[in-house]
Amino acid sequence: MTTPFSLASYDKLIGRFDECRGEEGHIRPQWAAIEHLFNQIGASGLSDRSVQIEQLVREHGLTFQFDNDKKPWQLGTVPVALEDHDWRALSSGLAQRVRVLEAVLDDLLGSQILVRDRVVPREIVWGNPHFYRAYHRLEQTGGIPTPNGAPAAARAKRLHVTAFDIVRGDNGRWWVTGDRTRAPSGLGHLLENRIVLSRALPHLHRRANVLRLAPFFESLRSHLRALSPHAAENPRVALLAPGSGSYREFEDAYLARYLGYTLVQGRDLAVRGERLNLKTLGGLLPIDVLWRHVSDQNCDPLELDPNALEGCTGLLQTIRDSNVAVVNSIGATIAEMPALLPFLGAAARKLLGEELTLPSVATYWCGDEGPCRYVLNNLDKLIVRGAYAVKEFEPLIPEQMTAEQKGELVRSIKAQPHRYVGQERLSHSLTPVWSDGKLRPWHLTLRSFQLQTADGIEVLPGGLARVSPRPELLGGSAVSGQM
């Protein structure tokens, strides 16, 4: 006989927002289906499902790259449930943020009104080592021109696939801790997570009426096809991957296979006759749309980083000639730099006349004297990051540093303040995780995904949930749940 088991069996932390349980300890309504199943299968059943998930992960070859070592993907047994009204409000904020970043990126790579009017400091653009002159006015191409010569609506966008890392504070409010506009990772792992969990917990997926992911990927497939600059019924779409040893090696192969795209590396491509081509034994095959998962500066050694091997010589000129559509637009990395976060609200008001409904975590760019002084005086309350790139260096937590390490950090900030930002350390919400034979409350962060098309912005229903017993590990957590 199965021993009764409840999600309420773990110790709820007082004063912290718990995704599963309310202030009085009761199970939130959206978790009812999960609670019902776990009560039926008991603790032993949950342990069995955990083992089954590990087996499925191995069978499916789900891996991730960490410190140059390929490791099995870790998938949590307990999914994360959000209330429908809460998710609709969150989706609206996510969609608005895409529009804001699209407008900001288009301005920074174009007329630069934000810089001219000092809404955005010129130093974070012109002094940014990741901003190449070739990005400026490099229009996003794609989409068949209309008869009157005007570009199709699909051509006007630079950001097609975006992701945001979001956390919920103790007051229940959502905050964005980072934007991913270059080539966001996680879509492939999210999709495979859903498949594995639906096999391990099939009754839960039917009972809980989980929203399907397939429509989002169908929209993605249709959108990339529509971006083709040539009138073709079946345009050739290729996914450009960094190659073997990349942290996203599994995901790139998985997405290419799932969507039916050709998986390519830089050495597989060649520009001939003003067209981007795939090299094959039978000759060159023209590529119409390139979904690139390599860094901006590595896309074209002729005009960007001359030492890069991941891209294709001449790619930027084929974009200017409107002979290939590249997703996301090269230069999109500028929109995700942490130094932009303090100025995003003012930029939204300037360009769109709107207030950000989904705020960014409090961020202080040290290139300004006042914010720099605040960072230096409050190091133990903050996280220190690189100003110009998400992965410029690993986030630093001064509170956990020795006095010598902290002193060295202070000297580095004072020597080159423009290279650093300080960010508030948020209290992540908690969610139950099955670990070592019992439920424990772990910290949660979500990665959302959005698709911007000619018809609007589609937010993927759900996201990639990452959990950890220590919130500072969530930036690169290998343990994943599923919304």
Side-chain angles (χ1 to χ4, degrees):
M1 182 176 179
T2 302
T3 303
F5 179 76
S6 173
L7 282 173
S9 63
Y10 66 93
D11 295 330
K12 183 181 182 299
L13 301 185
I14 299 174
R16 302 294 305 280
F17 189 95
D18 193 296
E19 298 290 341
C20 176
R21 296 165 63 187
E23 292 183 5
E24 303 300 324
H26 61 274
I27 301 298
R28 298 185 188 275
Q30 64 269 24
W31 287 75
I34 302 175
E35 164 74 354
H36 179 76
L37 174 65
F38 288 178
N39 183 266
Q40 284 186 323
I41 65 176
S44 60
L46 199 51
S47 293
D48 292 342
R49 299 307 192 280
S50 182
V51 172
Q52 182 183 2
I53 287 173
E54 290 182 10
Q55 292 174 340
L56 288 170
V57 164
R58 287 195 297 269
E59 290 173 6
H60 292 203
L62 254 169
T63 60
F64 71 100
Q65 199 83 10
F66 184 75
D67 288 341
N68 298 319
D69 186 19
K70 187 178 293 186
K71 298 183 178 182
W73 182 251
Q74 292 179 267
L75 177 59
T77 311
V78 184
V80 180
L82 292 183
E83 195 269 330
D84 186 57
H85 175 75
D86 188 23
W87 177 250
R88 287 198 302 270
L90 180 58
S91 296
S92 176
L94 295 170
Q96 184 211 35
R97 196 173 183 91
V98 174
R99 291 191 295 104
V100 169
L101 287 174
E102 174 70 38
V104 169
L105 180 62
D106 195 55
D107 177 76
L108 294 181
L109 298 186
S111 57
Q112 297 189 336
I113 293 173
L114 295 175
V115 174
R116 183 197 66 195
D117 293 351
R118 300 183 182 277
V119 177
V120 171
R122 62 186 64 187
E123 292 85 358
I124 72 171
V125 180
W126 299 339
N128 188 334
H130 302 283
F131 184 95
Y132 284 74
R133 183 179 299 178
Y135 297 162
H136 192 241
R137 299 198 183 281
L138 180 66
E139 298 294 337
Q140 169 63 43
T141 57
I144 301 169
T146 54
N148 62 4
R155 300 183 67 179
K157 308 302 180 185
R158 296 179 185 274
L159 301 178
H160 301 268
V161 181
T162 55
F164 303 131
D165 289 331
I166 56 178
V167 302
R168 197 202 297 261
D170 288 337
N171 61 357
R173 189 178 188 186
W174 291 99
W175 301 82
V176 177
T177 59
D179 304 308
R180 301 294 181 265
T181 58
R182 176 183 59 86
S185 61
L187 269 177
H189 282 106
L190 179 148
L191 183 60
E192 185 66 7
N193 284 357
R194 178 67 66 87
I195 293 173
V196 170
L197 277 182
S198 66
R199 292 179 179 174
L201 304 170
H203 300 296
L204 174 61
H205 274 247
R206 288 194 293 269
R207 182 185 296 273
N209 295 318
V210 177
L211 296 176
R212 297 175 63 243
L213 301 179
F216 180 89
F217 286 93
E218 283 300 322
S219 296
L220 173 61
R221 187 185 284 113
S222 297
H223 176 64
L224 294 186
R225 188 165 54 242
L227 289 175
S228 171
H230 306 99
E233 290 185 4
N234 189 25
R236 181 171 286 105
V237 182
L239 193 158
L240 176 60
S244 178
S246 166
Y247 71 95
R248 58 188 308 160
E249 182 178 359
F250 165 84
E251 178 175 42
D252 287 339
Y254 183 84
L255 283 174
R257 183 170 63 251
Y258 179 81
L259 294 170
Y261 296 154
T262 304
L263 183 65
V264 301
Q265 297 180 30
R267 62 173 179 263
D268 301 319
L269 304 176
V271 173
R272 300 288 188 275
E274 301 181 347
R275 291 291 302 272
L276 178 67
N277 296 278
L278 171 65
K279 294 184 286 188
T280 72
L281 293 176
L284 298 177
L285 299 176
I287 293 174
D288 300 294
V289 181
L290 187 68
W291 187 13
R292 55 108 183 176
H293 283 176
V294 304
S295 299
D296 298 58
Q297 71 270 15
N298 294 337
C299 285
D300 187 345
L302 181 63
E303 299 191 49
L304 302 172
D305 184 353
N307 298 314
L309 301 176
E310 297 175 348
C312 177
T313 300
L315 176 61
L316 264 60
Q317 190 57 48
T318 65
I319 296 174
R320 296 189 188 97
D321 294 336
S322 299
N323 282 326
V324 67
V326 177
V327 175
N328 283 336
S329 176
I330 295 177
T333 187
I334 299 303
E336 68 179 26
M337 60 176 165
L340 185 61
L341 291 176
F343 311 102
L344 203 56
R349 291 189 292 271
K350 178 70 175 181
L351 298 178
L352 301 180
E354 300 178 9
E355 295 289 338
L356 277 179
T357 58
L358 188 59
S360 307
V361 60
T363 305
Y364 307 91
W365 178 55
C366 294
D368 280 342
E369 183 178 351
C372 184
R373 188 183 310 113
Y374 177 85
V375 169
L376 292 174
N377 291 337
N378 295 274
L379 276 177
D380 287 346
K381 300 178 183 178
L382 304 172
I383 297 174
V384 176
R385 300 180 184 274
Y388 296 126
V390 173
K391 294 185 178 180
E392 197 163 351
F393 54 80
E394 288 297 316
L396 305 174
I397 304 176
E399 186 185 37
Q400 299 177 2
M401 292 180 168
T402 64
E404 182 179 355
Q405 291 171 330
K406 196 179 300 184
E408 180 61 32
L409 175 60
V410 169
R411 288 190 289 272
S412 297
I413 293 175
K414 288 181 176 180
Q416 294 182 302
H418 60 280
R419 292 190 55 230
Y420 298 89
V421 299
Q423 283 190 337
E424 178 186 357
R425 294 171 62 182
L426 291 173
S427 296
H428 295 57
S429 63
L430 301 167
T431 192
V433 171
W434 185 254
S435 175
D436 296 328
K438 65 182 298 185
L439 288 174
R440 305 173 190 272
W442 280 18
H443 303 273
L444 168 73
T445 186
L446 301 178
R447 174 165 290 190
S448 68
F449 294 90
Q450 300 75 221
L451 172 66
Q452 184 173 211
T453 71
D455 299 322
I457 298 165
E458 184 174 343
V459 180
L460 182 141
L464 187 65
R466 291 179 291 169
V467 293
S468 171
R470 295 165 53 193
E472 65 269 19
L473 299 179
L474 283 171
S477 174
V479 183
S480 168
Q482 174 72 50
M483 273 176 68

